Amino acid sequence: MNTQRIYRILISGGGTGGHIYPAIAIANAWNEKHPSSEILFVGALGKMEMQKVPEAGYKIKGLPVAGLQRRLSLENLKFPFKLLKSLTQASQIIKDFNPDAVVGVGGYASGPVLYAAQRKGIPTLVQEQNSYAGLTNKILAKRAKKICVAYPEMDRFFPADRIAYTGNPVRKDILDLSGKREKALTHFGLDSAKKTLLVLGGSLGARTLNQAVLADMHKLDEEGYQVLWQCGKFYFQEMKSKLAESGLTTIHLNEFIREMDMAYAAADLIVSRAGALSVSELSLVGKPVIFIPSPNVAEDHQTKNAMAYVSHDAALLLKDSEAVGALEQKVKALMEDTKLSETLRKNIKNLAKPNAANAIVEEIELLFA
């Protein structure tokens, strides 16, 4: 293949970090290999990709598309009109940009864009991050040239002959954590003599995880553990106030942790939601994990993501409904069981796909073969 050719790649989707960060990682990997390319993103107006993509140095156009609400809502009455407008705008964007290939990473915008591209005969690639395929991707995959997946056995949802098991692209800084532990402990003000529990509820926060830490933080302190806690911006002031009342000095609260590589390096055990990107990152980190899946996501994706790892003895699961009042007991049991910890550590690492972004780039290249 002539790597000097100027490719025009359109990447669509977003809505959450789990869609946006893999999309940006794919764009970065493509640009490294084909620096003369032109890349355009298409996202949903008002969603975080409209900010995050330009921050990463790429152009983006927004569509008015939005999802259906699961509860009765006036917004649902607007859905067909927004969808029709988005399909019209997506067709115009494709006509103006004239892409060589279109990549859909999931999220609201990927539906209209890939549908419009497929109607025009432009080759499309779908990237499915979850272990349970969403409805939009299942529909789009019928006419996609390639479907890149992050979990085995996805032929339950997609044609087996078009699946590539690539994994989810993640941040490069977590690919190698060796030698970062001491620096990480110093950075977060942690005690090197204590075991560290890292609690992650996502950038916005997770009420159940926060309530579970609040309920058990005195017990965790009594057991001699320290907690590095990302509570999310929605809950930060409330958690900060309650932590101050407790007087505990072993609970290290953060609204958001930017230096995730160091947080992972400092951790002995990690408690996390089970979003697709989090699960993929944690497989690379290779530490014992307890997943507490969010029950508030479409098609219960997070439980299915977590179970794909639990079924391989690569992680433990604690139900959201049982987490408050049971966290310390689960943490203590795993911290003290070195044999189980080592099994989880080894098995989760076996599921890692460290070269996912480059693998997806190779699949995009095959669209032109």
Side-chain angles (χ1 to χ4, degrees):
M1 180 179 292
N2 178 10
T3 55
Q4 298 309 305
R5 175 178 161 185
I6 298 175
Y7 293 97
R8 301 171 71 81
I9 308 294
L10 194 151
I11 302 176
S12 65
T16 66
H19 291 130
I20 297 160
Y21 296 123
I24 291 170
I26 293 166
N28 290 342
W30 181 270
N31 261 344
E32 281 180 21
K33 203 165 182 183
H34 304 282
S36 299
S37 298
E38 290 185 38
I39 295 177
L40 176 67
F41 282 74
V42 180
L45 289 169
K47 294 296 180 180
M48 63 189 288
E49 59 263 29
M50 301 308 293
Q51 176 191 345
K52 297 295 182 186
V53 169
E55 284 177 1
Y58 295 101
K59 294 176 183 175
I60 185 168
K61 291 185 179 290
L63 300 179
V65 67
L68 276 168
Q69 304 296 312
R70 282 186 285 178
R71 51 185 168 72
L72 286 173
S73 167
L74 287 173
E75 286 299 308
N76 283 345
L77 296 176
K78 299 177 187 176
F79 175 78
F81 302 102
K82 286 183 175 180
L83 180 60
L84 282 171
K85 189 174 180 182
S86 295
L87 282 165
T88 302
Q89 290 184 10
S91 292
Q92 190 61 49
I93 289 168
I94 286 170
K95 183 180 177 184
D96 294 342
F97 186 64
N98 192 26
D100 295 298
V102 177
V103 177
V105 296
Y108 302 137
S110 66
V113 174
L114 265 74
Y115 177 77
Q118 288 171 350
R119 287 195 69 186
K120 291 178 186 286
I122 296 167
T124 59
L125 178 146
V126 169
Q127 200 244 332
E128 173 58 64
Q129 290 106 12
N130 289 289
S131 64
Y132 189 90
L135 178 61
T136 302
N137 275 353
K138 281 192 273 191
I139 294 168
L140 295 170
K142 289 175 182 175
R143 296 176 68 184
K145 287 266 186 97
K146 185 63 70 171
I147 305 106
C148 293
V149 301
Y151 293 84
E153 297 159 19
M154 292 298 284
D155 53 354
R156 291 175 296 155
F157 309 107
F158 304 126
D161 60 334
R162 282 181 274 151
I163 290 175
Y165 180 25
T166 58
N168 281 326
V170 299
R171 291 170 275 208
K172 282 187 175 180
D173 60 1
I174 67 162
L175 292 177
D176 184 8
L177 301 179
S178 57
K180 290 187 179 181
R181 183 173 172 82
E182 289 307 314
K183 184 181 176 185
L185 294 171
T186 303
H187 177 80
F188 292 111
L190 299 169
D191 184 346
S192 60
K194 292 179 180 288
K195 286 188 175 179
T196 303
L197 170 66
L198 173 63
V199 179
L200 301 169
S203 57
L204 301 180
R207 174 165 289 281
T208 300
L209 269 67
N210 291 336
Q211 294 297 332
V213 175
L214 281 181
D216 281 353
M217 59 186 180
H218 285 280
K219 289 181 183 176
L220 290 164
D221 178 68
E222 287 165 14
E223 290 295 339
Y225 305 135
Q226 57 194 344
V227 181
L228 181 56
W229 177 16
Q230 177 180 283
C231 69
K233 69 175 183 178
F234 288 165
Y235 305 98
F236 182 63
Q237 293 304 325
E238 178 191 355
M239 297 302 115
K240 185 178 177 184
S241 172
K242 292 190 174 177
L243 182 57
E245 289 171 17
S246 76
L248 294 171
T249 58
T250 54
I251 313 295
H252 300 259
L253 181 69
N254 296 263
E255 177 181 329
F256 182 72
I257 299 173
R258 298 197 181 280
E259 309 83 358
M260 281 308 304
D261 58 327
M262 286 206 275
Y264 289 140
D268 293 287
L269 191 159
I270 301 166
V271 170
S272 175
R273 284 304 201 195
L277 193 60
S278 297
V279 172
S280 293
E281 284 196 356
L282 291 168
S283 66
L284 290 166
V285 169
K287 300 279 178 86
V289 178
I290 300 170
F291 286 121
I292 304 178
S294 170
N296 306 313
V297 292
E299 296 164 309
D300 202 18
H301 273 149
Q302 290 204 6
T303 297
K304 285 154 185 161
N305 290 346
M307 286 308 299
Y309 279 64
V310 172
S311 65
H312 285 86
D313 293 326
L316 300 184
L317 180 95
L318 179 58
K319 288 183 180 177
D320 184 272
S321 59
E322 299 171 0
V324 178
L327 181 66
E328 181 268 341
Q329 191 177 1
K330 195 90 168 174
V331 167
K332 182 184 177 187
L334 186 50
M335 285 280 203
E336 293 180 354
D337 191 337
T338 54
K339 187 176 178 184
L340 177 57
S341 291
E342 192 52 41
T343 297
L344 297 180
R345 189 192 309 272
K346 182 178 141 198
N347 289 345
I348 200 168
K349 198 83 173 169
N350 285 342
L351 294 172
K353 291 280 187 179
N355 299 309
N358 289 327
I360 293 169
V361 163
E362 288 174 6
E363 295 300 331
I364 299 171
E365 289 174 335
L366 290 173
L367 298 179
F368 310 121

